[in-house]
Amino acid sequence: MSTREGSWAWILQRLTAVLLLALLGAHFFVLHFVPSETYITFSGVAARLQGVLFWVIDFGLLVISLYHGLNGVRAVALDYWPRVDRSLSLALIIIGLIATLYGGRALTVFIRGM
Amino acid sequence: MPEDTFALRIFRFDPESGKDPGYQDFQVPRGGRSGGLTVLEALFYVLEHQDPGLAFRYSCREAICGSCAMYISGEWKLACQTQVGHALEGNVVTVSALPHLPVIKDLVVDMEPFWRNYEKVKPYLINDGPPPEKERLQSPEDRKGIQEMADCILCAACHSACPSGIANEDYLGPAALTKAYRFVADSRDTAREERLTLVGNEQGIFRCHTIFNCVTSCPKGINQTYSIQQMKKLVMKRNLGLQL
Amino acid sequence: MIYHPVLIVGGGLAGLRAAIAVHDAGLDCAVISRVHPVRSHSVAAQGGINAALGNAEGARDDTWEKHAYDTIKGSDFLADQDAVERMTREAPARVYEMEHWGCPFSRLADGRIAQRPFGGAGYPRTCYAADKTGHALLHTMWEQCVKRGIRTYQEFLVLSLTVREGRALGLIALNILTGEIVPLAADRILFATGGAGRIFGRSTNALINTGSGLAIAYQAEVPLKDMEFIQFHPTALFGTNILMTEGCRGEGGYLVNAEGNRFMEKYASKAMELAPRDIVARSIQTEINEGRGFGKGGAGGGYIHLDLRHLGAKKIKERLPGIRDICLNFAGIDPIDTPIPVQPGQHYTMGGIDTDVTGAAPVEGLYAAGECACVSVHGANRLGGNSLLDTMVFGKLAGDAMAESLAGNANRTEPAPEARTLLEEDLRKTRDRAHRLMAGDGTEDPSAIRDRLKDVMIEKVGIFRDRGTLTEALAEVRELKERVAHIKVRSQARVFNLDLVTNVELEGMLEVAEVIALGALQREESRGSHYRLDFTSRNDADWLKHTLAHRTPEGPQLDYSPVAITHYQPVERKY
Amino acid sequence: MYPLKHSPVRANPDLLPRHYRQGMWAWILHRLTGLGIVLFLLMHIWEISSVNRGGGAAFNETMNALRNPLAAFGELVLFIAVLYHGINGIRLILFDLGIGVRRQRALFWGVLVVSGALLALGLSAFLRLIFGTAPALVPWR
């Protein structure tokens, strides 16, 4: 993304922020307020993730929070190092993709319950 | 007598000496000729009586020319508009050059980066139509809508106070962006699209993180963030193909 | 060597307007300014600019002729009537032009430019942008210069003007930021350097208005005209002398003495607070002198009240927001619920470099416009709202005249060889002068001389003058001139040497002060702003003429020139 | 320019200037919490992804290792950070919608109050984590 533009990065940051508020609220509620076993275990999480809704929440969280967070890092960096934009964006995209794939694979492990 | 003086702590830098910049204290009597004493008058006192080598800018001494924006006791102020009594911390008033701009000497900064950004937003009315014989009409409401932006005195206090572009001379900064909106909002201007393109990027309005330091630092009480936010909305509307 | 066909000294309204005129005529020009152009004193003008647009309710039948007559009558008939007519005729065009260039004028409900009443005017014809008209106009003018890419040399202090055989060849200037003294050559030079207010104590002027342009021209043996006519603005904020615009009274403000009376009744029963400035200023000073002021006997000389309270918060915030800010920030009072303490203060230099209606001075190639010039359109007393107009009308006329006179011979890109030689000669002289200043014996303190000069001028060459005080003033100024030879610039810095700048200016201030004092002493009558306690009435038989001061080694040599009268025979002024 | 013996010198504002007002604090906190949360996010993905490295057993082991007061305290800090970042984020979006641009100071106090209230609510869950049982702060439990 070139610094000449940036309005889409800006609006996406707002849209993901709103989505994250909703998803995180759900995530918190599920983890801490829905009665379940006291401790988090593989089988507990795996059981929960059989429900499609929870699957969507967790996978959505993974992708959206990574976008929002890494785009935030970019915004911070450009304040101080305005000329690193191209290489920085590339690095962040790579980090984001790796983290999505790695985290996504973990989620599928839970869903398969293995 | 010490109780009748205060310490004026001035940021000093002499480009000819090769010495490092630093602060120097001067004892200045509190009472001016007219009872009160502004920081600018105190600087003149030092210039005339203590250090003829002191450098600072001045012109109107009534907060309209924009020459003497400085960083005074932790705040961005016009030296002419600041009473010493209001800037005292203990018995000290600290004055330094505008932060983040290159210092030429003492309190004089190189305004070049500021003016460069000002010129980037095409800071003049553009109207493609032929000028009418008399004035172009403008309703009092439309006129009121640009009052705040047109009041800017280009002192660069906001530019210097803004942390968003702190290490980035390409960031247009609040003053230039407010100037851009002054014309975007002017009912007589026809170059709205062009200007929104100039500012609608990450070196323009999208670098602004709504920190409001510009608003806090402005000696004329202008809300630069308002201008910037208005343009963010206009650019998004335009991106979505909506009527501007 | 820096060369431009046209060089303009001064980045205020007059200078920038001239630059635009020259640029638009297709010629290269550059503006030299002691400060960044938007810091020029034009920015501080508040009340407005006069033009007979006939926009305001009750002003539909206003005409430029009526504007001309008001101006001539206001000038106490000393103005050159052909010049006044030229100015008032071109006024609407200049105002509309600024509007087309984006100036944010205040508006009437129907969208036209709003106009307010001003002193000495028969109609509300002062166009304004709230109470920041100068700011609005100067920023607009600068924007147009940015648009055209006009070259500016900022923070250059002009030190001398090179004139040889009656021809202006160039300038020597100090680049304040580098300390270099450089020659600048040109075929046409315009001075638009503003007034000399800071020669006086209690001045509303910017600190940079030291009259250095006047002094430089005068030192180059260009005559100064009508310098004894110094305008004292009736309402300067007590203490700081910051201007409280005439617009305060134009919007309906009252002047009230310590006894609670609107005393203008006694002095101008019809026009009241909106009589011309000289009359109102004298009235206020009389009230203070006769013990009906506030704070009498205290430091600063007493004051009266400018009362805006009855205008109401809404009107004050809308029409006079800048005045309110100044009162809040500099006096700690809010005019919405407290009257403003004011006293008269030096405000404007009616006189200046002698020019004709195109701005041409009696030296070939030299022009002047704005406050530093004397065309003369203000005569013995300028009307409020006419100074901004003066800058733009005569800035443009001078720009046009320079461009026209160069037409066909504008292809040069460097100065003529003989001009180069002469400038280099002057450069050496000016450098010597700077070195002399740096190496003075230092037995005199420049700031003491400056303070004394200001006190002498406001006390003895002020609103009320007589032979005694003027003789004393002249003697004192001459003594100060002697003393100034013994000052020393203490800072040896090259970069931004304020000590050098202010001391160079001080030498010029003394020269101009001498001209003012001598002109006032010689003029044995009372006319407009020049009021002699020993000659209290106007004397058209002997004194309906302009004073011209020429520099000689022995001091100013005065002679006189006739006033141009076209249609209006002098009559007694009644308001 | 006259030859300078120094490369450009700049005057710096104080490290923690007295001029810092609400907007500045709001931004500093937003930025710090944001960066902290990103760091946590990457760690969180790494820790959940222990299933990629050793299946359910590894996951359970990781979870057990995290069951200590220090980690709980870390989660408390995280919770506060997310709360602030989220609520202040709403404030920023309001500005983008053109709401409150002239009342940013009041909005900042609003953010602190709402964050504080939600924090009190959320603390119950953390006390439960730390002490094993939660006091009956939450009405539906």
Side-chain angles (χ1 to χ4, degrees), chain B residues 16 57-59 61 65-66 80-81 105 123 132 134-136 138 143 150-154 182 188, chain C residues 34 39 55 96 99-100 102-105 107 111-113 132 135 143 155 203 207 329-330 494-495:
Chain B
E16 295 166 74
R57 287 194 175 104
Y58 59 87
S59 174
R61 67 84 177 81
C65 79
C80 70
Q81 199 180 19
K105 181 177 178 180
K134 294 188 170 181
E135 66 266 56
R136 290 194 174 97
Q138 182 173 49
R143 165 64 178 73
D151 272 351
C152 172
I153 59 173
L154 300 171
R182 178 243 173 281
R188 300 168 293 174
Chain C
R34 182 210 186 295
R39 319 297 189 210
N55 280 0
Y96 289 140
E99 198 282 329
H100 295 155
C103 181
F105 284 111
R107 300 289 173 152
R112 290 178 306 153
I113 296 171
K132 298 169 190 169
H135 174 266
E143 287 158 11
E155 297 183 311
S203 173
L207 301 173
N329 289 322
F330 291 91
R494 295 190 55 157
V495 177

Side-chain angles (χ1 to χ4, degrees), chain B residues 29-219:
Chain B
R30 278 184 201 230
R33 291 234 290 190
S34 55
L37 183 73
T38 64
V39 172
L40 186 65
E41 288 169 328
L43 290 170
F44 268 108
Y45 182 87
V46 172
L47 176 72
E48 287 179 1
H49 301 288
Q50 300 185 30
D51 188 344
L54 184 63
F56 55 94
R57 287 194 175 104
Y58 59 87
S59 174
C60 76
R61 67 84 177 81
E62 56 179 81
I64 191 72
C65 79
S67 297
C68 64
M70 295 173 192
Y71 185 64
I72 299 171
S73 292
E75 303 198 32
W76 281 265
K77 296 274 190 192
L78 296 177
C80 70
Q81 199 180 19
T82 307
Q83 294 292 329
V84 162
H86 296 159
L88 278 173
E89 293 173 304
N91 201 32
V92 182
V93 172
T94 313
V95 182
S96 98
L98 281 181
H100 309 135
L101 286 161
V103 178
I104 292 171
K105 181 177 178 180
D106 296 342
L107 304 173
V108 177
V109 292
D110 184 359
M111 293 279 282
E112 189 51 37
F114 176 79
W115 294 120
R116 215 168 36 231
N117 284 331
Y118 165 83
E119 292 187 11
K120 276 186 207 161
V121 300
K122 300 205 170 183
Y124 39 82
L125 190 89
I126 298 174
N127 189 311
D128 307 329
E133 194 188 323
K134 294 188 170 181
E135 66 266 56
R136 290 194 174 97
L137 298 183
Q138 182 173 49
S139 72
E141 292 70 43
D142 283 346
R143 165 64 178 73
K144 213 171 170 185
I146 58 170
Q147 171 78 57
E148 181 179 16
M149 304 86 211
D151 272 351
C152 172
I153 59 173
L154 300 171
C155 69
C158 59
H159 187 87
S160 159
C162 178
S164 293
I166 205 154
N168 182 357
E169 289 195 351
D170 292 336
Y171 170 49
L172 292 171
L177 291 172
T178 302
K179 181 61 71 183
Y181 187 64
R182 178 243 173 281
F183 290 105
V184 166
D186 194 319
S187 58
R188 300 168 293 174
D189 191 88
T190 56
R192 205 174 227 219
E193 286 278 342
E194 186 182 347
R195 258 186 259 281
L196 288 178
T197 305
L198 284 173
V199 303
N201 54 62
E202 290 191 323
Q203 303 297 5
I205 49 179
F206 295 116
R207 182 100 263 114
C208 168
H209 307 308
T210 55
I211 300 164
F212 295 94
N213 261 17
C214 47
V215 181
T216 311
S217 67
C218 180

Side-chain angles (χ1 to χ4, degrees), chain B residues 16 74 89 103 148 229, chain D residues 5 9-10 18-19 96 102:
Chain B
E16 295 166 74
E89 293 173 304
V103 178
E148 181 179 16
Q229 295 299 91
Chain D
K5 293 174 186 159
V9 162
R10 285 176 167 81
R18 295 137 282 189
H19 71 267
D96 292 332
R102 296 186 190 276

Side-chain angles (χ1 to χ4, degrees), chain C residues 191 196 211 213-219 221-228 349 351-355 362 368 372-374 508 511-516 546-551 556-559:
Chain C
F191 270 47
L214 295 170
I216 290 159
Y218 178 63
Q219 280 159 348
E221 290 171 22
V222 181
L224 299 184
K225 186 159 77 184
D226 288 344
M227 288 300 292
E228 62 269 32
T349 315
I353 297 168
D354 179 29
T355 73
C372 77
C374 183
E511 292 260 24
V512 177
E514 189 184 8
V515 173
I516 295 172
H546 298 297
T547 308
L548 286 172
H550 303 265
R551 186 172 190 268
Q557 191 72 46
L558 301 189
D559 64 20

